[in-house]
C-alpha cells in the first residue's frame, strides 16, 4: 500500500530538465528578485532615507518589512495549502507592488513604515516558490532547483546594485521603490500565465486572529528594543510596548494550543524540524544584521579615525554586491550537495562557514579587501543556509503541508533578522560617540555588533551538528524505519 501511494504521488513530476521546467525556473528566479528589491536593496540608500525622514531609527526603516513578514508568511503559507500556491504567489506580488508605491510617495516615516509592512508580504514569494518547485519536481532534482530558485536572482541583484546607486544619486531613493513596484506587477502577470496551479490542496480555514496576535506580539517586544535606548529602558512607553507584546505572544501560544487547526501548530513540531527552524533563526538573523552593519560602516571614512570605516576605499554598492556573488555559488552548490550528502550535512557546513565569515569582519570593518572577501563568504553562507533550510524542512513535511512548513522557515528568517537587527541597532545607539558635533557609531559599538552576530552563528553551528547527528541516527534506526512503515 505504501509503495502504491508513493508511486501515484510521484507520477507526473519532473525528473530531468526540459523546456517547460526551464521556463518555470526562470520565472521563479525573477520572482525572487522582487524579494531582494523589497528587502535588501533599500540598504543601499539607508543613509539617504535616514536623512530624508530625519530619524536615527535605522532598524525601523530596514527591518519593518522583515517584521511584517512574520505576519504575512504563515497566513500566505496556510492559504497556499488551502487555495493554491500560484494564487497566493500572485497575491503576494500584488501586495508588494502596492507597498512599494506607498513607500515611493510617503511624505513622512508614519506613511513609509506601513508601506514597508505591505512590502513585507514579498517574503512569502521565497517559500511559495520553494513549495511550487517541490510540488512539480521529484525530490532529487527539486533540491537542486530550490538552490537555483532561491539564489539565482543574485545575478540580477549584483547588476541592480550599481544601477540603483546611480539612479538614487540622480533622482532620490524613491526611484528604488518605483522600480520594485514595476517588477512586482510584471512578475504577477508572468506567474499567472506560466506557473500551473498546485494540484494538491488541503481543506481547512485561516487563523487570522492567530496571525495578528503573533505579529502584534513580536512588534511590541521588538519596538521596546528600538525605543528603549532613546526613551529609557524603564520609561512608561517602551515598557507598555514590551508588556503588551509579551501578553499577545502568551495569548497566541495559549489559543493556538487549544485550536484544532491553528495557524502554526506548535504541538506538531518534531525535534528535527524545531532544530532546523532554530538554526535558520540564528543564521539568517546574523547574516541580515551584518548586511545592515556593512551599509553603515561603508558610509564612514577611515580618515575620521574611529577605528573602522570603508567609505574612502570603495562604494557601498561594491560591498553589498560581494555577497551576491557568494549567493550565486552557495545556493545551487548547496542544492547539488544536498542531493548527494543530505540537507542536514549541507546545513551544518553552511553555518560553520558563516561563523568564520562573520568573525572575519573584525578585520573587514577597516580593510576593504578583507571586507569584500568575508562579505563574499557571507553570501555563500546565506545561499547555502536558505537552500538547505528549505530542503531540510521540506523533507520533513508531506505534500499537503509544504506551504505552511516552508512558511515556518521564512518566519524564522524574518524573526531572526528583525531581532538581531534591533539588537545590533540598540548596541550601536547605546555606544555612539560625538565627533565634530555629530553623533556617530563608535568602534566599541561596531565590534560589539560583530561579536553578537559571531556568537549567534557559533550557537547555530553547534545546533547544526546536533541536527546532522540526529538525522543520521534516525536513518540508521531499524525501529524508526518500522514505525514509519506502519504509518
Amino acid at each position: 500500500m505504501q509503495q502504491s501511494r508513493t508511486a501515484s504521488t510521484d507520477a507526473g513530476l519532473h525528473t530531468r530538465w526540459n523546456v517547460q521546467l526551464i521556463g518555470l525556473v526562470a520565472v521563479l528566479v525573477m520572482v525572487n528578485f522582487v524579494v531582494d528589491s523589497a528587502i535588501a536593496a533599500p540598504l543601499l540608500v539607508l543613509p539617504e532615507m535616514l536623512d530624508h525622514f530625519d530619524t536615527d531609527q535605522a532598524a525601523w526603516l530596514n527591518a519593518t518589512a522583515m517584521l511584517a513578514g512574520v505576519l504575512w508568511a504563515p497566513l500566505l503559507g496556510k492559504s497556499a495549502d488551502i487555495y493554491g500556491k500560484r494564487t497566493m504567489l500572485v497575491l503576494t506580488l500584488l501586495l508588494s507592488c502596492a507597498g512599494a508605491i506607498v513607500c515611493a510617495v510617503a511624505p513622512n516615516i508614519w506613511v513609509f513604515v506601513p508601506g514597508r509592512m505591505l512590502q513585507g508580504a514579498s517574503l512569502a514569494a521565497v517559500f511559495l516558490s520553494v513549495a511550487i518547485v517541490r510540488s512539480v519536481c521529484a525530490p532529487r532534482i527539486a533540491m537542486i532547483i530550490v538552490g537555483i530558485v532561491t539564489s539565482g536572482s543574485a545575478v540580477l541583484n549584483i547588476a541592480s546594485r550599481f544601477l540603483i546607486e546611480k539612479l538614487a544619486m540622480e533622482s532620490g531613493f524613491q526611484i528604488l521603490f518605483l522600480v520594485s513596484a514595476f517588477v512586482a506587477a510584471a512578475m504577477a502577470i508572468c506567474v499567472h500565465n506560466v506557473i500551473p496551479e498546485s494540484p494538491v490542496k488541503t481543506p481547512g480555514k485561516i487563523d487570522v486572529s492567530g496571525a495578528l496576535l503573533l505579529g502584534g506580539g513580536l512588534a511590541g517586544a521588538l519596538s521596546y528594543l528600538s525605543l528603549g535606548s532613546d526613551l529609557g529602558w524603564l520609561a512608561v512607553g517602551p515598557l507598555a510596548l514590551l508588556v503588551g507584546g509579551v501578553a499577545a505572544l502568551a495569548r497566541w501560544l495559549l489559543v493556538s494550543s487549544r485550536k484544532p487547526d491553528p495557524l502554526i501548530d506548535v504541538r506538531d513540531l518534531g525535534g528535527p524540524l524545531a532544530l532546523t527552524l532554530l538554526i535558520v533563526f540564528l543564521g539568517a538573523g546574523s547574516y541580515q544584521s551584518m548586511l545592515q552593519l556593512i551599509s553603515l560602516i561603508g558610509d564612514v571614512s577611515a580618515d575620521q579615525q574611529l577605528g573602522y570605516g570603508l567609505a574612502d576605499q570603495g562604494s557601498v554598492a561594491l560591498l553589498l554586491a560581494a555577497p551576491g556573488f557568494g549567493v550565486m555559488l552557495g545556493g545551487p552548490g548547496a542544492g547539488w550537495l544536498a542531493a548527494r550528502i543530505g540537507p542536514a550535512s549541507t546545513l551544518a557546513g553552511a553555518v560553520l562557514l558563516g561563523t568564520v565569515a562573520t568573525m572575519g569582519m573584525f578585520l573587514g570593518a577597516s580593510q576593504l579587501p578583507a571586507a569584500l572577501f568575508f562579505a563574499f563568504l557571507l553570501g555563500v553562507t546565506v545561499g547555502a543556509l536558505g537552500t538547505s533550510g528549505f530542503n531540510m524542512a521540506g523533507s520533513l513535511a508531506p505534500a499537503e503541508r509544504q506551504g505552511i512548513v516552508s512558511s515556518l522557515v521564512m518566519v524564522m528568517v524574518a524573526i531572526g533578522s528583525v531581532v538581531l537587527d534591533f539588537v545590533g541597532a540598540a548596541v550601536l545607539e547605546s555606544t555612539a560617540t560625538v565627533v565634530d558635533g555629530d553623533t556617530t557609531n563608535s568602534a566599541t559599538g561596531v565590534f560589539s555588533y560583530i561579536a553578537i552576530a559571531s556568537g549567534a552563528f557559533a550557537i547555530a553551528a553547534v545546533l547544526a551538528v546536533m541536527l546532522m547527528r540526529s538525522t543520521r541516527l534516525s536513518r540508521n534506526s531499524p525501529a524508526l524505519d518500522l514505525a514509519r512503515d506502519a504509518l
Side-chain angles (χ1 to χ4, degrees):
M1 180 65 68
Q2 178 69 28
Q3 290 180 348
S4 65
R5 284 201 301 267
T6 302
S8 63
T9 300
D10 292 343
L13 298 180
H14 293 284
T15 58
R16 58 174 58 91
W17 289 99
N18 53 61
V19 174
Q20 183 182 10
L21 183 58
I22 291 173
L24 182 144
V25 171
V27 169
L28 293 181
V29 167
M30 283 296 299
V31 164
N32 281 280
F33 175 68
V34 175
V35 182
D36 178 82
S37 70
I39 305 301
L43 286 171
L44 189 63
V45 293
L46 182 57
E48 288 81 358
M49 290 192 295
L50 291 172
D51 291 339
H52 179 79
F53 293 114
D54 191 24
T55 180
D56 60 356
Q57 295 296 319
W60 272 116
L61 297 183
N62 174 39
T64 303
M66 279 288 187
L67 175 61
V70 176
L71 171 65
W72 288 114
L75 271 174
L76 294 172
K78 187 72 175 234
S79 298
D81 286 336
I82 296 174
Y83 301 112
K85 300 175 180 63
R86 183 188 68 178
T87 300
M88 288 302 107
L89 182 54
V90 170
L91 177 61
T92 293
L93 293 168
L94 293 178
L95 287 170
S96 180
C97 174
I101 292 174
V102 171
C103 290
V105 301
N108 54 57
I109 192 172
W110 304 110
V111 177
F112 184 84
V113 168
R116 291 292 285 156
M117 295 189 74
L118 276 177
Q119 273 196 299
S122 65
L123 285 175
V126 179
F127 70 79
L128 289 175
S129 298
V130 171
I132 288 172
V133 169
R134 296 190 68 88
S135 69
V136 300
C137 296
R140 188 175 181 86
I141 192 173
M143 289 187 180
I144 299 173
I145 294 178
V146 165
I148 296 173
V149 165
T150 57
S151 307
S153 61
V155 179
L156 298 171
N157 299 341
I158 293 170
S160 69
R161 291 288 187 269
F162 298 97
L163 176 61
I164 291 298
E165 184 182 42
K166 181 178 180 180
L167 290 176
M169 291 178 61
E170 297 176 353
S171 307
F173 71 86
Q174 292 87 350
I175 191 67
L176 182 152
F177 295 98
L178 292 176
V179 170
S180 179
F182 173 79
V183 176
M187 295 321 301
I189 296 172
C190 290
V191 167
H192 183 269
N193 293 330
V194 175
I195 307 297
E197 186 55 276
S198 50
V200 179
K201 297 180 182 179
T202 306
K205 60 181 181 179
I206 308 302
D207 182 16
V208 177
S209 61
L212 292 176
L213 282 172
L214 175 61
L218 287 168
L222 296 173
S223 296
Y224 173 76
L225 291 176
S226 175
L227 300 176
S229 59
D230 286 337
L231 303 180
W233 299 110
L234 298 179
V236 175
L239 276 179
L241 288 170
L242 177 62
V243 172
V246 171
L249 290 174
R251 178 65 179 171
W252 172 74
L253 284 172
L254 178 63
V255 172
S256 296
S257 65
R258 295 176 177 177
K259 289 184 177 180
D261 189 22
L263 185 71
I264 299 175
D265 193 349
V266 294
R267 300 162 297 183
D268 197 33
L269 296 180
L273 180 57
L275 270 178
T276 300
L277 296 177
L278 186 55
I279 292 165
V280 170
F281 163 80
L282 292 168
S286 299
Y287 167 78
Q288 187 65 29
S289 70
M290 289 306 299
L291 274 188
Q292 179 173 270
L293 182 66
I294 288 173
S295 178
L296 295 175
I297 65 177
D299 199 45
V300 174
S301 171
D303 293 337
Q304 295 177 251
Q305 297 182 347
L306 292 170
Y308 70 94
L310 301 169
D312 55 343
Q313 302 179 48
S315 72
V316 178
L318 182 62
L319 288 171
L320 293 178
F325 289 103
V327 170
M328 287 191 297
L329 176 63
W336 182 84
L337 283 174
R340 286 156 178 78
I341 65 175
S345 298
T346 309
L347 182 60
V351 176
L352 288 170
L353 178 62
T355 305
V356 173
T358 307
M359 293 179 67
M361 287 303 296
F362 281 107
L363 177 61
S366 57
Q367 300 293 327
L368 180 62
L372 291 173
F373 175 71
F374 290 113
F376 169 78
L377 291 186
L378 281 171
V380 175
T381 297
V382 74
L385 180 69
T387 298
S388 301
F390 280 118
N391 281 333
M392 188 68 213
S395 68
L396 299 170
E400 64 272 13
R401 295 186 66 239
Q402 285 293 320
I404 187 61
V405 169
S406 295
S407 76
L408 293 180
V409 176
M410 205 67 248
V411 167
M412 289 300 104
V413 170
I415 295 177
S417 299
V418 170
V419 168
L420 288 178
D421 270 353
F422 275 113
V423 169
V427 169
L428 292 178
E429 290 174 14
S430 63
T431 57
T433 185
V434 178
V435 178
D436 296 331
D438 294 327
T439 301
T440 188
N441 298 319
S442 66
T444 299
V446 168
F447 293 123
S448 296
Y449 192 118
I450 297 173
I452 291 172
S454 299
F457 253 128
I459 295 172
V462 174
L463 296 176
V465 173
M466 292 172 56
L467 174 65
M468 181 177 63
R469 291 178 176 176
S470 67
T471 54
R472 285 178 179 175
L473 289 175
S474 297
R475 287 198 303 268
N476 295 332
S477 172
L480 288 177
D481 290 339
L482 289 174
R484 283 193 295 265
D485 291 341
L487 294 175

